[in-house]
Amino acid sequence: MKQAFVDYYQCPSELVDFQTITPLQQQTGYFNLGDAGLYFGQHNHQQVVHNAHQDSPNLLLDCQMTPEGHCLLPFNPSEVAENLRLERYVSAAHANVLKRIFSYTARQTYYAIRPYMPVNIRKYLQRRALHGWDKIPFPHWPVDTSIEQMMHKLLYLNAQVHPKGLPFIWFWPKGYQGAVIISHDVETATGRDFCPKLMDMTEAHEFRSSFQFIPEKRYERDDKLLNQIRKRGFEVNLHGLNHDGHLFDNYQEFYKRAQKINEHARSYQAEGFRSPVMYRNPDWFKELDFSYDMSMPNVAHLDPQRGGCCTVMPYFIDHIVELPLTTTQDYPLFNILQRYNLELWKQQCQEILKHHGLISMLIHPDYVIESRTRAVYETLLAYLSKLADTENLWRALPKEVAHWWRQRSRMRLYQDQEGAWKIRGEGAENARVAFARVEDQHIVYDLVDPA
Ligand SMILES: [Zn+2]
């Protein structure tokens, strides 16, 4: 019931008291809490809405505080968080745009002839398949922060019990206000050979990034390059098995391929994974031996598989730390939206930083070789670099964010003899105590200066 909230803030569990107003209905539907977020789960309102297009009931009016200080909720926040993060709200019929439009055989043919298809025809087909994406009401475009907004609402309700504020472990190490990661999926041999140049560009702006390689079929493994990437402080990860578009078609096939992927991961010394085309089924991730994954989009309107995890913070899927992709990829920006400026990315970054979230960028070496797109990547790096300086953001490798998130999840807050809140656990020296309190109806976070 309260676990998702306690995990999100890493606050002492005994300071949180949420209970559901029983019984919750068996029916699951959309609802709101009087803010911009939209939620999906079991609740006990009589109006059940199955479609995000319809007006949903406002359940904030049904939340109650008892005189003893218990917070009674007409829904279960942990269930709602899971429904959004694992995309359980996506109905099967709408999950995959390509699956909706083309039959299995047609898709197989599409993937088989795709490499030989003129680029313009490919882009035209993709634009046609994604037609109407801008009319999708949920998740919220261009960034969905429903999880963040729900946590705020819960904090708000809980704050009535803790007028001095709720202590928690700050989201990022050393008091950083957010984090930036840059990652690159390497699609072809041409992209692979462009990696050194891409590292030069990225390094010039004081960033390091991760490269996801396809271990089978697409191109030869280049060990000299892999060593160079590691030596320069960048990161080597895996990008599926062979990028044929069928990794998540059925569980048996996935299981077989996962064993091969795990073998490659050991040989590549890869800690991170991203699924090709962002095809995914988080229920199967437990078969993958990775420290972290980057296959969950925040809002997937421009991806073949629709949905989105509705959060700008990392979270756990079984043993794996999920680092969601919180911004639009370069490919749809250039080819579907046909934009060659930073406007959308800037808008997304600002939205993410309002919630102290993770700015996660996916730039493909293959798509920034030509001068026009390469220039866009250059301006993006300059923008992110300035943003990191002015907003005090953590310029991190994806694996560093994953390590931190795992460490933070194992840390504990305790009170010393004077009653001051302290943090214990591995990595606690980098962690900071913070307080969440309400000021003028808004949530305010105060960071405690390190002793
Ligand atoms: Zn790819």
Side-chain angles (χ1 to χ4, degrees):
M1 173 75 191
K2 64 182 177 184
Q3 200 55 47
F5 179 87
V6 170
D7 291 345
Y8 187 90
Y9 283 109
Q10 287 301 314
C11 59
S13 173
E14 63 276 14
L15 298 186
V16 182
D17 187 356
F18 297 135
Q19 291 171 26
T20 41
I21 305 169
T22 48
L24 293 183
Q25 288 181 10
Q26 288 308 304
Q27 292 220 62
T28 299
Y30 288 99
F31 62 90
N32 71 79
L33 295 172
D35 54 26
L38 191 60
Y39 312 102
F40 185 82
Q42 291 181 306
H43 58 74
N44 67 5
H45 196 278
Q46 39 181 263
Q47 188 194 354
V48 180
V49 169
H50 297 290
N51 188 326
H53 280 282
Q54 281 170 273
D55 280 342
S56 58
N58 180 351
L59 296 198
L60 188 64
L61 310 167
D62 300 340
C63 299
Q64 302 162 15
M65 287 301 292
T66 69
E68 299 79 37
H70 305 304
C71 180
L72 302 181
L73 302 171
F75 63 95
N76 176 347
S78 293
E79 188 225 339
V80 170
E82 186 165 301
N83 287 342
L84 300 189
R85 285 168 173 162
L86 304 184
E87 305 177 303
R88 301 222 194 281
Y89 62 91
V90 181
S91 67
H94 295 94
N96 192 315
V97 181
L98 290 177
K99 278 184 190 161
R100 195 151 43 94
I101 295 174
F102 306 115
S103 68
Y104 179 78
T105 333
R107 271 186 302 131
Q108 270 196 322
T109 317
Y110 172 76
Y111 280 111
I113 62 172
R114 203 177 101 120
Y116 313 103
M117 224 184 249
V119 175
N120 283 341
I121 294 187
R122 208 160 88 193
K123 288 177 186 171
Y124 166 77
L125 284 177
Q126 286 160 341
R127 272 201 292 275
R128 214 193 64 167
L130 292 172
H131 177 78
W133 70 269
D134 50 347
K135 308 271 184 316
I136 304 172
F138 181 72
H140 185 265
W141 176 264
V143 180
D144 193 288
T145 54
S146 291
I147 296 272
E148 281 64 42
Q149 310 219 29
M150 179 175 75
M151 297 303 172
H152 269 197
K153 270 283 153 23
L154 295 171
L155 256 183
Y156 188 83
L157 294 166
N158 196 72
Q160 301 180 27
V161 193
H162 300 285
K164 286 184 190 156
L166 179 74
F168 69 101
I169 302 174
W170 182 246
F171 303 112
W172 304 108
K174 298 175 183 162
Y176 285 119
Q177 294 296 302
V180 186
I181 57 171
I182 303 171
S183 61
H184 315 287
D185 297 350
V186 183
E187 303 294 301
T188 67
T190 317
R192 179 199 62 195
D193 298 339
F194 190 64
C195 291
K197 176 70 196 155
L198 205 64
M199 281 193 281
D200 293 343
M201 290 164 69
T202 308
E203 215 171 32
H205 292 276
E206 291 169 65
F207 284 103
R208 300 283 187 282
S209 50
S210 75
F211 290 87
Q212 286 70 241
F213 289 96
I214 305 162
E216 291 187 10
K217 288 198 179 151
R218 279 281 182 105
Y219 44 74
E220 288 293 309
R221 166 175 167 159
D222 180 347
D223 278 303
K224 218 175 116 206
L225 173 67
L226 300 185
N227 286 331
Q228 199 189 339
I229 290 173
R230 293 189 197 103
K231 229 171 115 189
R232 290 176 71 170
F234 289 71
E235 198 185 337
V236 173
N237 287 325
L238 287 194
H239 186 38
L241 184 66
N242 57 21
H243 214 301
D244 67 353
H246 297 298
L247 181 57
F248 285 92
D249 274 4
N250 65 68
Y251 179 74
Q252 266 178 326
E253 184 61 25
F254 174 79
Y255 184 83
K256 245 177 25 201
R257 292 185 184 203
Q259 310 313 310
K260 290 188 192 170
I261 291 171
N262 292 339
E263 259 173 56
H264 286 299
R266 284 187 284 277
S267 140
Y268 276 74
Q269 303 157 48
E271 291 181 41
F273 181 78
R274 178 175 289 122
S275 172
V277 205
M278 304 287 278
Y279 285 143
R280 60 203 179 271
N281 182 341
D283 290 334
W284 300 350
F285 284 6
K286 54 182 176 295
E287 307 299 348
L288 296 169
D289 293 340
F290 288 89
S291 153
Y292 71 95
D293 171 77
M294 300 190 283
S295 312
M296 301 293 288
N298 170 275
V299 41
H301 296 351
L302 297 178
D303 293 321
Q305 183 175 332
R306 293 270 165 84
C309 63
C310 310
T311 180
V312 293
M313 284 293 180
Y315 56 98
F316 278 88
I317 302 178
D318 292 300
H319 64 284
I320 290 182
V321 178
E322 180 59 41
L323 306 181
L325 185 62
T326 53
T327 63
T328 301
Q329 299 180 36
D330 55 354
Y331 186 88
L333 184 75
F334 300 149
N335 299 304
I336 308 292
L337 301 177
Q338 297 174 295
R339 291 194 207 170
Y340 295 87
N341 58 51
L342 298 194
E343 206 184 313
L344 175 63
W345 280 336
K346 281 184 180 173
Q347 200 188 340
Q348 291 175 323
C349 289
Q350 296 303 333
E351 206 51 49
I352 294 163
L353 292 184
K354 276 186 207 163
H355 297 278
H356 305 281
L358 172 72
I359 295 173
S360 156
M361 308 287 323
L362 167 49
I363 304 296
H364 297 76
D366 294 82
Y367 308 143
V368 291
I369 296 175
E370 58 154 318
S371 59
R372 180 156 70 151
T373 51
R374 192 191 299 199
V376 177
Y377 182 50
E378 276 284 2
T379 55
L380 172 68
L381 285 167
Y383 169 73
L384 289 176
S385 189
K386 199 168 158 214
L387 196 65
D389 288 344
T390 53
E391 303 291 324
N392 189 25
L393 308 180
W394 186 22
R395 300 159 181 254
L397 281 172
K399 70 174 175 189
E400 291 171 330
V401 174
H403 287 181
W404 161 256
W405 209 256
R406 198 177 293 279
Q407 278 191 336
R408 177 177 178 265
S409 76
R410 291 170 178 164
M411 292 176 196
R412 290 295 170 262
L413 272 173
Y414 70 97
Q415 278 179 297
D416 68 9
Q417 283 166 341
E418 279 90 55
W421 290 99
K422 295 279 161 63
I423 302 168
R424 70 168 137 242
E426 200 191 328
E429 65 280 6
N430 292 320
R432 299 274 296 273
V433 177
F435 285 87
R437 60 185 173 84
V438 176
E439 194 180 279
D440 299 335
Q441 314 267 315
H442 291 287
I443 299 292
V444 181
Y445 296 139
D446 300 315
L447 266 163
V448 178
D449 286 330

